[in-house]
Amino acid sequence: MTEPLLRVRDLRTYFVTERGAGTARAVDGVSFDIFPGETLGIVGESGCGKTVTSLSILRLIPEPPGHIRPGSFIEFEGRNLLTLAPKELRAIRGNKIAMIFQEPMTSLNPVFSVGDQIAEAAIVHQGLSRKAARARASEMLKLVGIPDPEERVDHYPHQLSGGMRQRVMIAMALVCHPQLLIADEPTTALDVTIQAQILELLDRLQAELGMAVMLITHDLGVVAGTVDRVVVMYAGQVVEAAPTKGLFARPAHPYTEGLMAAVPRLDAPRARLHAIPGQVPAATAWPAGCRFHPRCPFAWEKCRVEEPPLFDTGVPGHAARCWLVTEPARRTAKA
Amino acid sequence: MTAWLMRRLAAAIAGVWAVVTLTFLLIHLAPGTPFLPGAERPADPAVIAELRARFGLDRPLPAQYVSYLRELVRGNLGVSFARRRPVAEALVEAIPNTLVLAGAALCIDFLLGLALGIYQAARARRAADVVLGNATLFFSSVPTFWLGLVLLLVFGQWLRWFPVGGVTDPVLYSSLPWAGKVADRLWHLALPALTLGVVGAAGTARYQRAAMLEALGQDFVRTARAKGATERRVLLRHALGNALLPFITLFGLAFPFLLTGAVLTETIFAWPGMGRLAAEAIATRDYPMVTAAALVAAVMVAAGNLLADLLLAAADPRIRVASE
Amino acid sequence: MTPRTWLALLAALTVAIAAVALLRRRAARTPAGREFFRHPPAAPGLAVLGFFAIVAIGARLVAPYHPAAQLDIVGLQNQAPSWAHPLGTDTFSRDTWSRLVFGARISLAVGALAMLVAVTVGSIVGAMAGYFRRWVDAVLMRTVDVGLAIPRLFLLLMIAALWEGLPLPVLVLLIGLTGWFGTSRLVRAEVLSVRERDFVAAARALGAGPARVIFRHVLPNAAAPIIVSAALGIGNVLLLEAGLSFLGIGVQPPLPSWGNMIGDGWRQLAVAPWATLFPGLAIAVVVMALNAVGDALRDALDPRREVT
């Protein structure tokens, strides 16, 4: 088996809330690996800690109020990113690990042309001249499928449509050919048809450039077609991790089942679209025991008291944080 | 772009016209108008005759208004009571001095204010920011003329580092070589320019700090950091690039502040500019002079605002492109 | 200074600090109150304002002399600060402290009243422009544009030159009437956003007239920016009044104001700097307190900050 490209171990990112209400444990002991060239999906409702996880990797959490707890560990190329000197960290940001964000409008700087912004990482990391950087920028625009790249290079973000802006974001992230692209809800702010185009584009670029992609989304439907492996997060923790096929075939955690039931399907008869009852609890006060138990249809006494570890389900690479793994009979009994 | 520019120009002209009209109306409303030999006025018959002739008093108000406008356009601002000379002449002598003072103050205001604001934003909520924050709060709350007096007392009277007033040394100036003349002028300029500049800089710094902090909280700053940009680049390129836009509007606001401040500062430092002219005219009730100064000030403010609009259009791609 | 006046001064200081402490404890119960007092300069700023307000109201108790009393025109001229005259005396042998105390009355009253005029006019104009829109809005806002373009001090200089010796109420009115432009813009923007909300539409649907809708429904919701602009505006008025009085066209002697105290004193700057320095310092401290309180209010009342 190949070595992982990125190894995240026991990541804990906490926020001290402003009004003195306590500490929000937004990410609370998350571990996973990303292998070279693969696509990993991170899925969960908003508030589950998936965005904070992705920001923690490049240490983009605003401090204060946030901080990554000592003991957390993010290994990339044999080094712990969390203890790297700022200068070394900057050499990785945008160069070896790049990131695209949910809101392409606000994530682009309104006063610089898209060409300037795309070329910036190349100027910072590769010391390109202005002229070479401009050529590279229009090359990148062409790569992400923007027509008339020579002309678009000088346009400003407000002159582009939402889908075009997200393409620009992607071009910006890929300009240095990173080994890992972190895409945080890249399609959430877009129309459905544009969403599909962007996902397709990401897929194609991944194949062309051979990078690993970490795709963060709240939408299992997005994950189904594009991702090799899935990590499901709930309440700041990983609750299930599995290869995509295995996950969809046999979800082990009731939360994953709930998410799946919320995806509209074409192949099944018109079932009632059902959502998981209740809401994600506040990060300042996770429930005791299993954090999902207040919303879980199977919860019993043990779930209220004792927090389950991440169990191996028996299928290779498939793990779930649920007591049902140890007592599968309870699931059938209920059903 | 041109359509937008024309609209701004029209607004500026409308502003000046409104001030001109207001001035006309005020002169007519005032007791003891120049058109009647007022009881307590300096009733020089020659002056009154001149004014009567100029405004054509026997004619109806609209006709008077038209001739008043015509005279203004010709540059005839009337005759000063106190100085017995055309107001325009006195103003032409005084305005360059005011512009020099205002220009120097503007440089101090913006350079110091910008630097402080950026520095404070970079060190937000740390000790240096807190100390500077209190200092800028104090200096932006101080009456300009009072700060001038304090500087005058400390640096002019006690330490004798700077002269206590005037534009040049009355005795030595004419005998100085070329470079010495420049130095002498700068030496005289220092305290008044510092007075106006420091008060302005304190306000500018407070404004700029807030603008920088707002820009630093935006998503695109996170994007820049994710690209591996240095903190310096994030601060000076990405945040400042956005925070400079509101700063340019400050330019329009700085102008009235500087002109107003000049009235008082020039008085204190015996700086022979427009402000001192107006202040002296007040003391001698020389209202042709005062009204003319107000008109000129209004024109200058309108010009300053127009200039700020032009700069903003040049700097903000959203305006530049949208109005193309 | 007699022991009685020292005691009164001490009492004023104590009351101001105690009042702020009390207020702070009560404010801790609401989020806006906590937000307000989280600004470090907010509490001292309030205490300063409270102190000067008490001193201005109780001027007779805190000031040892009549502000215009020339104590001893030969013997007590330009005296340096001492126990008898804590801030010295001026060139007319008047007690600077007594003048400062009575000057607080005039200066603060002028500031507060002129701001009241400005805020009233600005709110009404802004509310009308925002509520009626169309040509009413166009006309009013063009007026505001022009008003903002006129250098205020020059306009007041002009008026003061044409009408000699303006009485104090007229001065207050003039300062107020030249200071409402900024407020009206703020209020208009607020009204434009409030008028689209459901409760305003509901009130109109129930047959409420424009005046009722504006005063009962729209303006109360625009209170926050009005209050903040008023707090910051009083400081500007204080500075303006000081400038006008310094030039001799503001508050007329023998009434003392902080501005004309500087105007009287500055020609003796070298001999009696205290007569100039203390009134200026008083202005600076009060304006600083107003700015600090205004800043804190803005953050505390800004509804957008609740989200973050």
Side-chain angles (χ1 to χ4, degrees):
Chain A
M1 192 148 184
T2 51
E3 275 291 295
L5 179 66
L6 185 84
R7 205 197 297 260
V8 177
R9 287 294 173 273
D10 201 25
L11 176 66
R12 289 172 199 272
T13 307
Y14 293 179
F15 290 83
V16 179
T17 52
E18 280 242 28
R19 292 187 197 281
T23 302
R25 293 178 289 162
V27 173
D28 203 12
V30 163
S31 304
F32 60 88
D33 293 331
I34 298 178
F35 292 91
E38 81 163 339
T39 306
L40 176 75
I42 297 205
V43 183
E45 290 166 287
S46 58
C48 72
K50 55 193 194 301
T51 295
V52 175
T53 302
S54 69
L55 290 173
S56 299
I57 293 173
L58 284 178
R59 278 160 61 189
L60 291 169
I61 297 291
E63 286 180 53
H67 62 284
I68 299 174
R69 302 281 297 170
S72 308
F73 184 77
I74 297 178
E75 190 192 78
F76 179 77
E77 293 185 328
R79 291 187 296 177
N80 184 358
L81 294 183
L82 298 180
T83 54
L84 232 47
K87 194 170 176 233
E88 293 173 290
L89 181 68
R90 281 200 303 271
I92 289 177
R93 286 177 176 174
N95 191 22
K96 297 189 164 165
I97 302 179
M99 210 167 161
I100 57 181
F101 300 97
Q102 181 172 352
E103 289 288 341
M105 185 61 218
T106 54
S107 298
L108 289 168
N109 194 328
V111 300
F112 296 118
S113 72
V114 296
D116 280 349
Q117 297 187 62
I118 293 171
E120 183 166 21
I123 292 173
V124 167
H125 295 293
Q126 299 169 353
L128 250 57
S129 70
R130 282 192 69 84
K131 212 176 150 193
R134 199 191 134 92
R136 172 77 70 85
S138 77
E139 204 178 290
M140 290 308 296
L141 283 176
K142 197 172 164 200
L143 183 72
V144 297
I146 289 185
D148 306 320
E150 290 295 337
E151 198 182 311
R152 288 290 181 186
V153 151
D154 294 320
H155 281 202
Y156 288 88
H158 70 271
Q159 294 170 280
L160 305 177
S161 67
M164 294 257 243
R165 284 187 205 124
Q166 195 56 284
R167 282 170 196 264
V168 167
M169 284 294 293
I170 294 171
M172 217 161 77
L174 298 186
V175 72
C176 290
H177 296 303
Q179 288 159 276
L180 173 62
L181 175 69
I182 301 173
D184 183 7
E185 303 261 13
T187 60
T188 307
L190 305 173
D191 294 343
V192 184
T193 47
I194 313 286
Q195 277 188 18
Q197 289 173 16
I198 295 290
L199 289 174
E200 215 170 285
L201 173 71
L202 278 175
D203 219 27
R204 173 170 68 81
L205 291 173
Q206 180 179 24
E208 273 177 40
L209 304 174
M211 64 192 168
V213 174
M214 177 173 155
L215 182 69
I216 291 144
T217 177
H218 65 275
D219 186 353
L220 263 182
V222 165
V223 156
T226 37
V227 161
D228 303 317
R229 277 191 315 126
V230 182
V231 167
V232 181
M233 282 186 70
Y234 184 78
Q237 296 177 321
V238 173
V239 293
E240 185 161 6
T244 312
K245 260 191 188 154
L247 187 84
F248 279 90
R250 293 194 56 182
H253 198 286
Y255 178 64
T256 315
E257 279 179 63
L259 283 181
M260 271 179 202
V263 178
R265 299 177 71 102
L266 291 174
D267 53 352
R270 250 161 52 97
R272 196 167 55 89
L273 208 64
H274 101 180
I276 306 164
Q279 291 173 340
V280 180
T284 44
W286 297 130
C290 171
R291 291 181 184 180
F292 186 60
H293 84 256
R295 302 173 72 186
C296 182
F298 305 106
W300 71 94
E301 194 47 41
K302 188 172 192 177
C303 306
R304 278 182 267 278
V305 185
E306 206 175 331
E307 189 167 349
L310 208 53
F311 291 108
D312 198 328
T313 59
V315 183
H318 196 153
R321 189 184 292 278
C322 182
W323 290 118
L324 280 174
V325 178
T326 59
E327 294 183 49
R330 283 183 178 267
R331 185 189 286 268
T332 42
K334 183 98 180 191
Chain B
M1 183 96 173
T2 32
W4 182 80
L5 200 65
M6 294 312 286
R7 228 172 30 243
R8 302 306 305 176
L9 191 66
I13 291 172
V16 170
W17 170 75
V19 175
V20 166
T21 308
L22 191 64
T23 310
F24 176 79
L25 290 175
L26 282 175
I27 292 173
H28 276 265
L29 282 172
T33 58
F35 319 112
L36 301 167
E40 74 287 348
R41 291 276 154 186
D44 184 324
V47 170
I48 290 168
E50 195 271 342
L51 282 166
R52 275 179 164 282
R54 186 156 71 86
F55 286 100
L57 287 181
D58 37 355
R59 288 185 291 155
L61 212 59
Q64 290 183 34
Y65 179 61
V66 169
S67 65
Y68 164 82
L69 284 183
R70 193 168 51 222
E71 292 302 315
L72 275 187
V73 170
R74 284 184 191 161
N76 183 355
L77 297 169
V79 175
S80 157
F81 288 159
R83 298 178 174 233
R84 315 262 164 157
R85 59 187 291 207
V87 168
E89 248 181 62
L91 278 173
V92 164
E93 279 172 25
I95 286 172
N97 286 326
T98 295
L99 288 181
V100 166
L101 175 59
L106 194 70
C107 289
I108 296 173
D109 178 337
F110 278 11
L111 291 179
L112 186 63
L114 202 59
L116 282 177
I118 295 170
Y119 180 78
Q120 279 187 263
R123 296 269 179 288
R125 282 174 279 279
R126 294 199 221 150
D129 175 38
V130 172
V131 170
L132 286 173
N134 285 321
T136 53
L137 179 61
F138 177 77
F139 279 106
S140 65
S141 305
V142 147
T144 322
F145 59 100
W146 181 76
L147 181 67
L149 289 171
V150 173
L151 292 180
L152 196 65
L153 184 67
V154 175
F155 295 104
Q157 302 268 9
W158 292 348
L159 299 172
R160 297 192 179 276
W161 288 357
F162 292 99
V164 292
V167 180
T168 55
D169 192 300
V171 184
L172 295 174
Y173 184 74
S174 53
S175 62
L176 286 170
W178 178 82
K181 281 186 174 161
V182 173
D184 187 55
R185 279 181 176 270
L186 286 177
W187 191 47
H188 280 80
L189 180 61
L191 281 189
L194 213 59
T195 301
L196 268 177
V198 164
V199 175
T204 305
R206 280 160 60 74
Y207 191 92
Q208 194 58 27
R209 175 185 181 271
M212 284 295 285
L213 283 182
E214 177 164 350
L216 282 172
Q218 304 279 323
D219 284 351
F220 56 75
V221 164
R222 189 179 59 188
T223 309
R225 290 205 175 107
K227 279 194 255 184
T230 57
E231 274 310 295
R232 191 190 172 82
R233 194 179 169 93
V234 167
L235 199 68
L236 295 184
R237 190 175 153 87
H238 288 274
L240 189 58
N242 279 270
L244 270 183
L245 296 178
F247 183 77
I248 291 169
T249 18
L250 265 197
F251 182 85
L253 293 176
F255 232 76
F257 162 77
L258 287 174
L259 282 175
T260 306
V263 177
L264 301 155
T265 312
E266 287 177 359
T267 305
I268 289 163
F269 288 97
W271 187 267
M274 217 178 84
R276 196 173 74 134
L277 210 57
E280 277 178 6
I282 288 286
T284 54
R285 307 290 163 192
D286 187 354
Y287 51 82
M289 188 65 98
V290 179
T291 49
L295 283 181
V296 172
V299 172
M300 284 178 155
V301 169
N305 279 327
L306 200 61
L307 197 59
D309 284 337
L310 280 177
L311 288 174
L312 192 65
D316 190 341
R318 280 163 296 191
I319 294 180
R320 194 166 64 216
V321 177
S323 51
E324 253 167 15
Chain C
M1 288 286 269
T2 58
R4 188 181 59 99
T5 51
W6 281 116
L7 261 174
L9 182 60
L10 197 70
L13 206 62
T14 318
V15 169
I17 293 172
V20 172
L22 198 72
L23 199 67
R24 184 173 198 154
R25 201 169 315 146
R26 298 199 52 170
R29 284 181 218 154
T30 63
R34 281 195 297 275
E35 183 69 43
F36 177 84
F37 280 106
R38 192 156 47 226
H39 280 249
L46 267 189
V48 165
L49 295 183
F51 171 73
F52 275 101
I54 294 168
V55 162
I57 293 166
R60 272 174 222 292
L61 297 175
V62 190
Y65 305 101
H66 187 273
Q70 294 183 285
L71 302 174
D72 179 351
I73 195 68
V74 184
L76 285 176
Q77 227 187 7
N78 295 333
Q79 294 286 304
S82 62
W83 282 108
H85 304 283
L87 304 183
T89 62
D90 69 3
T91 186
F92 303 108
S93 78
R94 296 175 298 194
D95 179 52
T96 308
W97 166 248
S98 301
R99 286 180 67 71
L100 192 82
V101 167
F102 279 94
R105 254 190 194 183
I106 306 288
S107 290
L108 295 182
V110 168
L113 291 175
M115 204 55 226
L116 195 67
V117 172
V119 163
T120 309
V121 176
S123 300
I124 292 175
V125 170
M128 278 173 45
Y131 185 84
F132 292 109
R133 297 191 283 193
R134 296 172 189 279
W135 64 268
V136 179
D137 184 27
V139 169
L140 290 177
M141 284 303 115
R142 289 301 82 72
T143 314
V144 168
D145 285 345
V146 171
L148 283 171
I150 301 175
R152 196 173 174 191
L153 183 72
F154 280 93
L155 181 65
L156 291 169
L157 284 182
M158 197 161 76
I159 296 172
L162 289 167
W163 282 265
E164 276 173 58
L166 293 171
L168 198 55
V170 177
L171 183 74
V172 169
L173 213 58
L174 278 176
I175 294 179
L177 289 177
T178 52
W180 55 268
F181 307 112
T183 311
S184 74
R185 266 197 185 169
L186 278 176
V187 173
R188 172 180 173 269
E190 203 68 17
V191 168
L192 277 180
S193 75
V194 169
R195 70 163 275 152
E196 296 308 324
R197 283 193 234 148
D198 291 346
F199 64 86
V200 176
R204 257 189 312 206
L206 289 172
R212 189 182 165 81
V213 172
I214 290 176
F215 283 102
R216 292 295 303 273
H217 298 282
V218 174
L219 277 183
N221 279 287
I226 297 176
I227 291 170
V228 172
S229 86
L232 298 174
I234 294 180
N236 272 332
V237 172
L238 275 175
L239 292 175
L240 186 67
E241 181 271 320
L244 290 172
S245 298
F246 174 76
L247 291 172
I249 55 172
V251 177
Q252 296 300 316
L255 278 182
S257 89
W258 291 344
N260 68 23
M261 285 176 74
I262 301 176
D264 283 348
W266 77 279
R267 292 190 188 281
Q268 274 75 43
L269 189 64
V271 228
W274 43 86
T276 303
L277 292 184
F278 288 115
L281 204 60
I283 298 173
V285 168
V286 168
V287 174
M288 195 171 158
L290 282 165
N291 283 339
V293 170
D295 282 352
L297 269 179
R298 175 168 47 208
D299 287 353
L301 296 179
D302 187 348
R304 280 169 302 173
R305 287 181 66 95
E306 286 296 307
V307 187
T308 53

